[in-house]
Amino acid sequence: MSTSGNTRYIGRPLRRLGDDRLITGTAAFLDDIRVPGLLHLALVRSPLAHALIRDVDSATALALPGVVAVVTGRELASWVSPLSSPPELLPDRRLKRYPLAVDRARFVGDPVAAVLAFDPVAAHEAAELVTVSYGELPAVVDAERAREAAAPLVHPDWPDNVAFRWEVTHGHLDRAFRQADATVSLRLVNQRIYAAFLEPRGAVARPDPAAGELTVWASTQVPHSLRSSIATALGLPEHQIRVIVPEVGGAFGSKGGVYPEYVLVAALAWQLGRPVKWVETRSESLLGTVHARDQVQLVRAAFRRDGTLLGLDVRILANLGAYNAATTALRTGLLAAGPYRVAALHVLVEGIMTNCTPLGSYRAA
């Protein structure tokens, strides 16, 4: 390889190719998308961690000038298919989630109704006028408690709150601990976190009824997965849906999943035949954007006096929140032994459903 002339890159300052539009203010982020005839979406979210949705009264909201429609979860479920269940779930359980909660809210911030208006101010004002009658239910927000037999069930058609179980065993762990000169036991808590990207989540959908096509702009890291999910929810072939990702103002992995609000925007636009836009507020983002980590790790290790690691026993409980059943905790299990040579190893990872904000990825974990 030549290192002379213009082909020489190492040791030279290079001008970044994508920065001009960012520093001159010409870059287009999601909220910069403008479409004629746009309807703005605001969401009514549950203030309770676990509750039956008995009734949604939208009469006062619909009387507000500029409000076009209020859609409930029951209405939405009549013309949209539920989001796909993750394949890692235990065989006898399934997650049946719609973009709006149908009969019960499962975490604080769970969307229960959609308000559409000609401008965002009217939409948010109307959302505050929607009255939801709830029947509060016992909630569980701690994975260790949710693992107990007497814990409230997040999904009542499940026998317990365990979503998935992953286990690996290598070598003879009991022998390693019998032969050890020393052992150590730890209970480690990896706290729940929120990505706090500068640009909150958002999506715009524009239908073209004549062509039978739908264009969606979204602040996402997974446009292809989003297209597939929208197609499944609406019963459309994927080639009729186009997903465009504008500039993304931060993601860190937390925009790497398919959000129900994005599918909702597409579904409402397709049903109403009008373009729809949703951009979350920061307070919404704290409630509705996936959280990450939230693991309890029980670790036992067996050593020789010279420091040789003989055996490692790791049990991980991951608080998955109310939906998604994200398998990010499996990466903790896969990396549990680190770079060390361990003769005997046992790792058990259990994903536990709770009445918390759903879990997802942050920095790949």
Side-chain angles (χ1 to χ4, degrees):
M1 176 181 174
S2 172
T3 59
S4 63
N6 292 331
T7 61
R8 190 174 191 174
Y9 297 106
I10 298 173
R12 292 181 56 199
L14 299 175
R15 182 173 178 174
R16 290 164 55 100
L17 299 178
D19 286 357
D20 285 359
R21 62 185 183 275
L22 297 173
I23 62 178
T24 58
T26 57
F29 291 86
L30 190 283
D31 202 21
D32 296 315
I33 304 299
R34 300 287 185 265
V35 179
L38 195 64
L39 295 178
H40 293 267
L41 169 65
L43 294 171
V44 180
R45 294 181 180 271
S46 171
L48 301 174
H50 199 194
L52 295 174
I53 302 170
R54 290 176 173 160
D55 183 61
V56 179
D57 185 351
S58 60
T60 305
L62 286 168
L64 196 69
V67 175
V68 175
V70 177
V71 179
T72 67
R74 287 186 178 91
E75 291 174 294
L76 186 73
S78 68
W79 41 271
V80 168
S81 297
L83 303 175
S84 300
S85 287
E88 295 83 5
L89 290 176
L90 292 175
D92 60 343
R93 50 208 75 185
R94 181 171 176 260
L95 285 173
K96 189 178 181 181
R97 186 186 188 184
Y98 290 90
L100 294 174
V102 176
D103 55 1
R104 71 171 63 200
R106 290 182 168 86
F107 69 97
V108 174
D110 206 354
V112 299
V115 178
L116 294 143
F118 289 118
D119 67 82
V121 174
H124 284 282
E125 288 180 353
E128 294 180 0
L129 297 176
V130 175
T131 302
V132 183
S133 175
Y134 294 101
E136 189 167 5
L137 297 169
V140 58
V141 296
D142 175 88
E144 290 177 301
R145 181 167 171 259
R147 184 68 180 82
E148 296 172 359
L153 291 176
V154 179
H155 297 274
D157 55 336
W158 290 20
D160 54 41
N161 289 317
V162 181
F164 62 79
R165 184 178 290 109
W166 180 85
E167 189 170 18
V168 62
T169 301
H170 171 73
H172 301 282
L173 194 66
D174 290 341
R175 182 193 306 168
F177 275 84
R178 286 196 305 269
Q179 295 175 349
D181 297 321
T183 63
V184 63
S185 298
L186 298 171
R187 180 181 181 273
L188 305 173
V189 177
N190 198 325
Q191 78 277 4
R192 177 169 281 244
I193 60 174
Y194 158 71
F197 26 66
L198 188 62
E199 178 203 33
R201 296 175 299 148
V204 177
R206 182 184 64 193
D208 184 344
E213 295 176 346
L214 180 66
T215 301
V216 178
W217 292 263
S219 184
T220 181
Q221 295 172 261
V222 287
H224 296 88
S225 299
L226 178 57
R227 182 178 66 171
S228 297
S229 294
I230 293 171
T232 299
L234 299 183
L236 297 174
E238 287 192 20
H239 71 262
Q240 290 180 223
I241 301 169
R242 183 186 184 198
V243 174
I244 301 171
V245 179
E247 303 285 358
V248 176
F252 315 112
S254 292
K255 290 180 181 175
V258 174
Y259 280 101
E261 294 95 339
Y262 292 7
V263 177
L264 175 63
V265 169
L268 292 171
W270 189 253
Q271 178 73 5
L272 298 174
R274 295 280 301 273
V276 173
K277 181 178 186 178
W278 172 73
V279 178
E280 69 179 350
T281 64
R282 181 58 63 184
S283 57
E284 271 190 299
S285 187
L286 286 161
L287 295 174
T289 295
V290 293
H291 295 173
R293 311 294 199 264
D294 202 349
Q295 298 175 15
V296 176
Q297 302 159 0
L298 306 175
V299 182
R300 294 190 307 136
F303 298 89
R304 287 202 184 105
R305 288 190 179 88
D306 62 5
T308 301
L309 181 58
L310 298 176
L312 192 62
D313 182 20
V314 182
R315 297 169 188 265
I316 299 168
L317 281 183
N319 183 340
L320 304 181
Y323 302 105
N324 294 0
T327 58
T328 51
L330 297 186
R331 294 167 198 159
T332 309
L334 288 167
L335 299 172
Y340 301 103
R341 185 169 54 237
V342 184
L345 174 70
H346 172 251
V347 180
L348 172 64
V349 181
E350 289 186 313
I352 312 298
M353 308 303 290
T354 69
N355 295 112
C356 293
T357 296
L359 202 72
S361 181
Y362 173 77
R363 295 294 189 189

